[in-house]
Amino acid sequence: MDKLTRYREIIRQLIFDYASHKPANGQIDTEAVIDSERNDYEVLHIGWDGVRRVHGSVVHIDIINDKVWIQYDRTSEPVAEALLEAGILREDIVLGFHPAELRQYTDFAVS
């Protein structure tokens, strides 16, 4: 199995795992959005918390130029750590939610 196929499968499983966790409060559903053709993966929360509408991304991961870009991470356990534990190389993970000039100070890829 080539690296891209392996990374897609790891991310797909991770997205389904995060999507299986329903928020404790409100009438909020989770939705896994997987577009393997465009290498775009997300978990969304959709519903109501009392009178407040909830609709937004919890996790957003892209694969860009053979690197795994974490675009958004609003989880209690860092997505980067889960990716490392699943076998994605540290040098292939980009913390896209950090500004480009700050990424050099992380232990992850710059781009």
Side-chain angles (χ1 to χ4, degrees):
M1 178 183 309
D2 71 331
K3 182 169 88 168
L4 180 60
T5 302
R6 189 167 60 85
Y7 282 6
R8 282 176 175 154
E9 184 57 29
I10 289 170
I11 295 166
R12 187 177 144 305
Q13 289 298 324
L14 185 70
I15 291 295
F16 281 131
D17 182 49
Y18 280 115
S20 71
H21 302 288
K22 185 172 172 49
N25 33 323
Q27 298 297 316
I28 302 170
D29 293 320
T30 58
E31 184 175 313
V33 179
I34 296 174
D35 185 347
S36 297
E37 187 176 308
R38 291 179 184 81
N39 294 314
D40 185 31
Y41 306 84
E42 284 192 70
V43 175
L44 299 173
H45 280 174
I46 302 166
W48 292 91
D49 186 8
V51 296
R52 184 178 70 88
R53 178 67 174 159
V54 175
H55 184 276
S57 184
V58 179
V59 175
H60 181 181
I61 302 171
D62 291 324
I63 301 175
I64 303 169
N65 297 326
D66 293 328
K67 302 276 187 185
V68 176
W69 284 69
I70 303 171
Q71 304 289 15
Y72 191 73
D73 180 0
R74 198 178 72 184
T75 64
S76 57
E77 296 181 23
V79 171
E81 295 301 319
L83 292 171
L84 288 170
E85 289 175 15
I88 294 182
L89 301 174
R90 184 176 294 277
E91 58 267 18
D92 286 344
I93 298 173
V94 179
L95 303 180
F97 53 83
H98 285 311
E101 62 273 6
L102 296 182
R103 290 184 206 139
Q104 65 182 321
Y105 302 113
T106 71
D107 289 334
F108 295 95
V110 175
S111 65

